[in-house]
Amino acid sequence: MPNVYARRIGVFASAVALASLTSLVNAPAAQAAPPAPISASAARSYLATVTPRAEGSSSGYSRDLFPHWSTVSGSCNTRETVLKRDGVNVVQDSSCAAVSGSWYSEYDGATWTAASDLDIDHVVALSEAWRSGASSWTTAKRQQFANDLTRPQLIAVTDNVNQGKGDLDPAEWLPSRTAYRCTYARMWVHVKQYWGLSMDSAEKNTLVNVLGGC
């Protein structure tokens, strides 16, 4: 009788182990992505404290006032670091350039296998930041903003989609892939909150509406 009981325990343990292994095999792969933004509830709470301000002038703006891409390590700069982070099975050459891999563009749902098809989007565009308060920053602070890998400010996306977005804020542009709009709104609010950048009325209202459905 003890032997039968032991065999049953052994069979049960084997079944549990097999089920665990199967769940691991079938589990979705981790999605390569920027740092997670604040939650929708945290974003809504922050927006409730925001007093809208009219956008400032673009006078004096130049991308050169936001130096990028900065060296991160060795020959790897911020662009190559984001390509590595946001891609799957990315292979880099001795100069850190991505020579192969796969990238899923969250904005439009396209998948690319050539790094040349991707831009690194500044979620809050540099000129948008300039009009929202960055015009008064030092160049060193603007450089930190333009190369911010800690907040969800940089993301690899389809190049022409990024170019179509330009320097538009959420009142003027949102990802065509509606499933990503909540995440995008959280990213936008996170970046503006951290860097102390202002919002205009239309921008805030759009973010409130998007996050209200999250």
Side-chain angles (χ1 to χ4, degrees):
M1 190 69 174
N3 287 339
V4 171
Y5 182 74
R7 284 199 301 274
R8 286 177 179 171
I9 292 294
V11 168
F12 177 74
S14 297
V16 170
L18 179 59
S20 298
L21 178 60
T22 301
S23 68
L24 286 173
V25 170
N26 293 333
Q31 177 68 50
I38 59 174
S39 67
S41 60
R44 287 192 294 267
S45 294
Y46 174 70
L47 286 172
T49 72
V50 171
T51 300
R53 289 206 331 237
E55 276 194 349
S57 169
S58 294
S59 177
Y61 168 74
S62 168
R63 286 179 70 84
D64 292 341
L65 295 172
F66 293 78
H68 62 290
W69 302 110
S70 296
T71 298
V72 175
S73 176
S75 57
C76 298
N77 64 22
T78 311
R79 173 183 163 81
E80 299 300 346
T81 300
V82 174
L83 285 172
K84 176 74 172 178
R85 181 197 70 192
D86 290 1
V88 176
N89 298 324
V90 177
V91 176
Q92 296 172 306
D93 64 17
S94 59
S95 64
C96 207
V99 294
S100 66
S102 176
W103 293 267
Y104 179 76
S105 173
E106 293 283 8
Y107 288 179
D108 59 329
T111 298
W112 304 98
T113 56
S116 58
D117 288 320
L118 298 146
D119 278 354
I120 306 305
D121 179 41
H122 288 96
V123 172
V124 176
L126 305 182
S127 54
E128 162 71 20
W130 177 269
R131 297 190 300 269
S132 304
S135 59
S136 65
W137 294 353
T138 63
T139 300
K141 184 173 180 178
R142 287 192 289 262
Q143 181 173 9
Q144 292 171 355
F145 175 80
N147 297 275
D148 188 359
L149 292 166
T150 306
R151 267 61 56 180
Q153 161 67 340
L154 301 171
I155 183 171
V157 296
T158 304
D159 53 4
N160 64 319
V161 171
N162 179 53
Q163 291 151 24
K165 172 190 169 182
D167 64 352
L168 303 178
D169 70 28
E172 304 157 317
W173 187 94
L174 288 168
S176 61
R177 183 170 162 259
T178 55
Y180 199 66
R181 289 182 177 178
C182 278
T183 301
Y184 183 79
R186 290 161 52 209
M187 294 164 76
W188 185 280
V189 173
H190 188 154
V191 172
K192 283 225 161 175
Q193 178 186 30
Y194 179 83
W195 289 98
L197 295 169
S198 65
M199 298 184 187
D200 62 40
S201 293
E203 174 188 356
K204 176 184 175 179
N205 290 341
T206 299
L207 290 166
V208 168
N209 289 336
V210 172
L211 290 164
C214 297

mmCIF file of all heavy atoms in Angstrom, residues 56-76:
data_model
loop_
_atom_site.group_PDB
_atom_site.id
_atom_site.type_symbol
_atom_site.label_atom_id
_atom_site.label_comp_id
_atom_site.label_asym_id
_atom_site.label_seq_id
_atom_site.Cartn_x
_atom_site.Cartn_y
_atom_site.Cartn_z
ATOM 1 N N GLY A 56 4.291 78.331 -25.467
ATOM 2 C CA GLY A 56 5.218 79.416 -25.728
ATOM 3 C C GLY A 56 5.569 79.502 -27.203
ATOM 4 O O GLY A 56 5.067 78.736 -28.042
ATOM 5 N N SER A 57 6.474 80.373 -27.509
ATOM 6 C CA SER A 57 6.899 80.596 -28.889
ATOM 7 C C SER A 57 7.962 79.582 -29.315
ATOM 8 O O SER A 57 8.708 79.068 -28.474
ATOM 9 C CB SER A 57 7.456 82.011 -29.020
ATOM 10 O OG SER A 57 8.093 82.190 -30.256
ATOM 11 N N SER A 58 8.020 79.326 -30.614
ATOM 12 C CA SER A 58 9.088 78.487 -31.163
ATOM 13 C C SER A 58 10.324 79.306 -31.495
ATOM 14 O O SER A 58 11.331 78.766 -31.951
ATOM 15 C CB SER A 58 8.606 77.774 -32.435
ATOM 16 O OG SER A 58 7.585 76.845 -32.127
ATOM 17 N N SER A 59 10.258 80.596 -31.259
ATOM 18 C CA SER A 59 11.376 81.481 -31.571
ATOM 19 C C SER A 59 12.649 81.020 -30.875
ATOM 20 O O SER A 59 12.640 80.750 -29.666
ATOM 21 C CB SER A 59 11.038 82.908 -31.130
ATOM 22 O OG SER A 59 12.120 83.779 -31.362
ATOM 23 N N GLY A 60 13.711 80.899 -31.630
ATOM 24 C CA GLY A 60 15.002 80.506 -31.086
ATOM 25 C C GLY A 60 15.223 79.019 -31.027
ATOM 26 O O GLY A 60 16.323 78.562 -30.709
ATOM 27 N N TYR A 61 14.177 78.243 -31.351
ATOM 28 C CA TYR A 61 14.315 76.780 -31.261
ATOM 29 C C TYR A 61 15.243 76.227 -32.332
ATOM 30 O O TYR A 61 15.216 76.637 -33.483
ATOM 31 C CB TYR A 61 12.954 76.095 -31.397
ATOM 32 C CG TYR A 61 13.087 74.602 -31.610
ATOM 33 C CD1 TYR A 61 13.455 73.766 -30.552
ATOM 34 C CD2 TYR A 61 12.919 74.028 -32.873
ATOM 35 C CE1 TYR A 61 13.617 72.413 -30.742
ATOM 36 C CE2 TYR A 61 13.073 72.665 -33.072
ATOM 37 C CZ TYR A 61 13.425 71.865 -32.004
ATOM 38 O OH TYR A 61 13.609 70.520 -32.203
ATOM 39 N N SER A 62 16.059 75.251 -31.933
ATOM 40 C CA SER A 62 16.899 74.477 -32.846
ATOM 41 C C SER A 62 17.138 73.113 -32.217
ATOM 42 O O SER A 62 17.341 73.021 -31.003
ATOM 43 C CB SER A 62 18.241 75.177 -33.077
ATOM 44 O OG SER A 62 19.146 74.289 -33.727
ATOM 45 N N ARG A 63 17.112 72.071 -33.044
ATOM 46 C CA ARG A 63 17.403 70.732 -32.516
ATOM 47 C C ARG A 63 18.809 70.672 -31.931
ATOM 48 O O ARG A 63 19.084 69.870 -31.039
ATOM 49 C CB ARG A 63 17.256 69.686 -33.633
ATOM 50 C CG ARG A 63 15.806 69.407 -33.996
ATOM 51 C CD ARG A 63 15.700 68.383 -35.120
ATOM 52 N NE ARG A 63 16.086 67.049 -34.713
ATOM 53 C CZ ARG A 63 15.306 66.171 -34.109
ATOM 54 N NH1 ARG A 63 14.047 66.499 -33.808
ATOM 55 N NH2 ARG A 63 15.732 64.947 -33.805
ATOM 56 N N ASP A 64 19.694 71.522 -32.424
ATOM 57 C CA ASP A 64 21.068 71.545 -31.914
ATOM 58 C C ASP A 64 21.116 71.957 -30.443
ATOM 59 O O ASP A 64 22.123 71.711 -29.769
ATOM 60 C CB ASP A 64 21.928 72.509 -32.738
ATOM 61 C CG ASP A 64 22.140 72.013 -34.157
ATOM 62 O OD1 ASP A 64 21.949 70.804 -34.406
ATOM 63 O OD2 ASP A 64 22.475 72.840 -35.029
ATOM 64 N N LEU A 65 20.054 72.594 -29.956
ATOM 65 C CA LEU A 65 20.004 72.990 -28.548
ATOM 66 C C LEU A 65 19.627 71.824 -27.634
ATOM 67 O O LEU A 65 19.605 71.965 -26.411
ATOM 68 C CB LEU A 65 19.004 74.142 -28.365
ATOM 69 C CG LEU A 65 19.398 75.454 -29.064
ATOM 70 C CD1 LEU A 65 18.252 76.463 -28.992
ATOM 71 C CD2 LEU A 65 20.659 76.032 -28.432
ATOM 72 N N PHE A 66 19.315 70.660 -28.258
ATOM 73 C CA PHE A 66 19.021 69.419 -27.536
ATOM 74 C C PHE A 66 19.992 68.350 -28.045
ATOM 75 O O PHE A 66 19.600 67.460 -28.814
ATOM 76 C CB PHE A 66 17.591 68.957 -27.808
ATOM 77 C CG PHE A 66 16.509 69.845 -27.253
ATOM 78 C CD1 PHE A 66 16.158 71.027 -27.894
ATOM 79 C CD2 PHE A 66 15.818 69.486 -26.102
ATOM 80 C CE1 PHE A 66 15.130 71.832 -27.405
ATOM 81 C CE2 PHE A 66 14.788 70.284 -25.606
ATOM 82 C CZ PHE A 66 14.453 71.465 -26.258
ATOM 83 N N PRO A 67 21.268 68.424 -27.692
ATOM 84 C CA PRO A 67 22.265 67.510 -28.278
ATOM 85 C C PRO A 67 21.894 66.033 -28.110
ATOM 86 O O PRO A 67 21.587 65.580 -27.010
ATOM 87 C CB PRO A 67 23.547 67.845 -27.494
ATOM 88 C CG PRO A 67 23.336 69.246 -26.992
ATOM 89 C CD PRO A 67 21.876 69.325 -26.685
ATOM 90 N N HIS A 68 21.889 65.315 -29.211
ATOM 91 C CA HIS A 68 21.613 63.878 -29.209
ATOM 92 C C HIS A 68 22.188 63.329 -30.520
ATOM 93 O O HIS A 68 22.376 64.084 -31.483
ATOM 94 C CB HIS A 68 20.113 63.604 -29.081
ATOM 95 C CG HIS A 68 19.269 64.147 -30.208
ATOM 96 N ND1 HIS A 68 19.032 65.502 -30.406
ATOM 97 C CD2 HIS A 68 18.643 63.516 -31.225
ATOM 98 C CE1 HIS A 68 18.272 65.671 -31.473
ATOM 99 N NE2 HIS A 68 18.030 64.490 -32.007
ATOM 100 N N TRP A 69 22.549 62.112 -30.601
ATOM 101 C CA TRP A 69 22.404 61.071 -29.590
ATOM 102 C C TRP A 69 23.685 60.975 -28.770
ATOM 103 O O TRP A 69 24.777 60.963 -29.329
ATOM 104 C CB TRP A 69 22.094 59.730 -30.239
ATOM 105 C CG TRP A 69 20.854 59.779 -31.065
ATOM 106 C CD1 TRP A 69 20.774 59.714 -32.418
ATOM 107 C CD2 TRP A 69 19.495 59.900 -30.596
ATOM 108 N NE1 TRP A 69 19.461 59.767 -32.828
ATOM 109 C CE2 TRP A 69 18.660 59.884 -31.728
ATOM 110 C CE3 TRP A 69 18.937 60.019 -29.329
ATOM 111 C CZ2 TRP A 69 17.266 59.987 -31.612
ATOM 112 C CZ3 TRP A 69 17.563 60.123 -29.231
ATOM 113 C CH2 TRP A 69 16.735 60.098 -30.367
ATOM 114 N N SER A 70 23.567 60.904 -27.474
ATOM 115 C CA SER A 70 24.725 60.872 -26.587
ATOM 116 C C SER A 70 25.320 59.470 -26.522
ATOM 117 O O SER A 70 24.630 58.475 -26.715
ATOM 118 C CB SER A 70 24.330 61.300 -25.173
ATOM 119 O OG SER A 70 23.893 62.639 -25.149
ATOM 120 N N THR A 71 26.630 59.407 -26.220
ATOM 121 C CA THR A 71 27.280 58.120 -26.009
ATOM 122 C C THR A 71 26.781 57.524 -24.693
ATOM 123 O O THR A 71 26.754 58.189 -23.662
ATOM 124 C CB THR A 71 28.803 58.283 -25.953
ATOM 125 O OG1 THR A 71 29.263 58.805 -27.207
ATOM 126 C CG2 THR A 71 29.489 56.953 -25.677
ATOM 127 N N VAL A 72 26.371 56.267 -24.747
ATOM 128 C CA VAL A 72 25.896 55.567 -23.551
ATOM 129 C C VAL A 72 27.008 54.713 -22.971
ATOM 130 O O VAL A 72 27.296 54.759 -21.780
ATOM 131 C CB VAL A 72 24.659 54.700 -23.870
ATOM 132 C CG1 VAL A 72 24.238 53.881 -22.651
ATOM 133 C CG2 VAL A 72 23.506 55.574 -24.347
ATOM 134 N N SER A 73 27.652 53.930 -23.837
ATOM 135 C CA SER A 73 28.753 53.073 -23.411
ATOM 136 C C SER A 73 29.575 52.672 -24.620
ATOM 137 O O SER A 73 29.020 52.227 -25.632
ATOM 138 C CB SER A 73 28.202 51.827 -22.712
ATOM 139 O OG SER A 73 29.236 50.934 -22.359
ATOM 140 N N GLY A 74 30.889 52.838 -24.527
ATOM 141 C CA GLY A 74 31.763 52.466 -25.637
ATOM 142 C C GLY A 74 31.373 53.192 -26.910
ATOM 143 O O GLY A 74 31.320 54.425 -26.940
ATOM 144 N N SER A 75 31.051 52.439 -27.963
ATOM 145 C CA SER A 75 30.646 53.056 -29.230
ATOM 146 C C SER A 75 29.128 53.104 -29.369
ATOM 147 O O SER A 75 28.612 53.483 -30.432
ATOM 148 C CB SER A 75 31.231 52.258 -30.401
ATOM 149 O OG SER A 75 30.819 50.903 -30.351
ATOM 150 N N CYS A 76 28.403 52.755 -28.324
ATOM 151 C CA CYS A 76 26.938 52.722 -28.377
ATOM 152 C C CYS A 76 26.346 54.065 -27.943
ATOM 153 O O CYS A 76 26.619 54.541 -26.840
ATOM 154 C CB CYS A 76 26.394 51.629 -27.458
ATOM 155 S SG CYS A 76 26.908 49.964 -27.907
#
